[in-house]
Amino acid sequence: DVKVTQSSRYLVKRTGEKVFLECVQDMDHENMFWYRQDPGLGLRLIYFSYDVKMKEKGDIPEGYSVSREKKERFSLILESASTNQTSMYLCASTVGQYYEQYFGPGTRLTVT
Amino acid sequence: LAKTTQPISMDSYEGQEVNITCSHNNIATNDYITWYQQFPSQGPRFIIQGYKTKVTNEVASLFIPADRKSSTLSLPRVSLSDTAVYYCLVGAPPLSGGSYIPTFGRGTSLIVHP
């Protein structure tokens, strides 16, 4: 089975802190994605990567950056966390852009 | 990227067949249609994908008319455990001329009653 793991299920950070969210997949997938999910807004794509060291902006990249140094790992970085970044963050991977996406369990981030 | 429109919510009862329709009027020639299911506090899970006509697997069926401007996800004989949010996505891999950005939208919240 494909496994996508995220570093934390729950995270509480203070405004202004630098936050790292880690995602690891074990199926040698080329493509990885970061989404955030908020009530009533569905899933919104933040960034995605289709290869090591490659990244593309999604719909809402502002306030975020990403890093993909190894194929299996895709990190989401909040340079200076703000309260409006309180959300559920979901990581996914797939062998192709619109093939089956496999999601991690999510990280619920609270910024106070 | 083709935009999709789905009902915000639907209600059903155990044992009934549920059909959720997704509109995608500006679907491109290379685009595929993919449906996901999401339970509370979990990431979405792939259900089914199709390009035209009908696709069926052990979980659901997907009906796509000839003009491909809409699609219908059909869940046979739903149970309480089918209560979830269902998302319709339209797009294609970049190598086939599609867009990079998968868009989930708000989905359809299905509630199955006893």
Side-chain angles (χ1 to χ4, degrees):
Chain A
D1 278 351
V2 176
K3 193 168 185 181
V4 179
T5 57
Q6 296 184 228
S7 49
S8 305
R9 286 303 306 269
Y10 301 94
L11 207 54
V12 180
K13 296 292 182 180
R14 293 197 179 275
T15 301
E17 280 192 83
K18 189 169 186 176
V19 181
F20 292 87
L21 302 182
E22 303 285 339
C23 176
V24 178
Q25 50 94 5
D26 65 358
M27 282 301 291
D28 202 37
H29 284 170
E30 292 90 357
N31 303 289
M32 297 187 73
F33 306 82
W34 273 108
Y35 297 87
R36 66 176 281 177
Q37 184 168 31
D38 302 287
L41 296 179
L43 278 82
R44 293 180 291 168
L45 183 64
I46 304 172
Y47 268 98
F48 65 99
S49 168
Y50 52 89
D51 202 353
V52 175
K53 296 191 184 295
M54 304 299 288
K55 61 183 180 183
E56 293 283 345
K57 292 180 180 179
D59 297 321
I60 51 165
E62 296 78 19
Y64 303 94
S65 62
V66 290
S67 172
R68 194 162 179 207
E69 296 296 319
K70 294 184 178 181
K71 192 174 187 179
E72 68 271 18
R73 187 180 299 269
F74 191 35
S75 303
L76 180 69
I77 303 157
L78 288 66
E79 294 289 341
S80 178
S82 63
T83 54
N84 63 11
Q85 292 178 311
T86 291
S87 185
M88 169 68 84
Y89 290 87
L90 291 157
C91 174
S93 73
T94 182
V95 67
Q97 292 292 332
Y98 276 87
Y99 300 135
E100 180 175 352
Q101 290 192 48
Y102 294 87
F103 281 83
T107 296
R108 187 166 294 281
L109 172 67
T110 301
V111 182
T112 61
Chain B
L1 182 68
K3 181 181 176 180
T4 60
T5 302
Q6 305 174 234
I8 296 295
S9 64
M10 294 182 68
D11 289 88
S12 184
Y13 292 89
E14 284 190 291
Q16 289 188 337
E17 178 184 73
V18 171
N19 296 309
I20 305 174
T21 297
C22 179
S23 297
H24 27 80
N25 290 320
N26 58 340
I27 188 170
T29 302
N30 295 330
D31 285 346
Y32 281 76
I33 300 155
T34 310
W35 285 81
Y36 287 81
Q37 174 191 57
Q38 185 180 26
F39 297 113
S41 300
Q42 294 185 25
R45 181 176 71 105
F46 172 90
I47 301 176
I48 198 167
Q49 184 180 74
Y51 183 79
K52 62 180 179 180
T53 62
K54 178 183 174 182
V55 179
T56 297
N57 61 23
E58 65 277 7
V59 177
S61 295
L62 178 59
F63 297 91
I64 306 168
D67 65 7
R68 304 200 326 123
K69 293 184 182 299
S70 66
S71 59
T72 299
L73 174 72
S74 181
L75 305 172
R77 297 180 299 281
V78 294
S79 64
L80 297 177
S81 62
D82 292 314
T83 293
V85 178
Y86 293 82
Y87 296 93
C88 165
L89 277 73
V90 174
L95 288 177
S96 65
S99 166
Y100 277 87
I101 302 177
T103 301
F104 274 77
R106 301 183 184 186
T108 298
S109 176
L110 172 66
I111 298 175
V112 179
H113 302 278

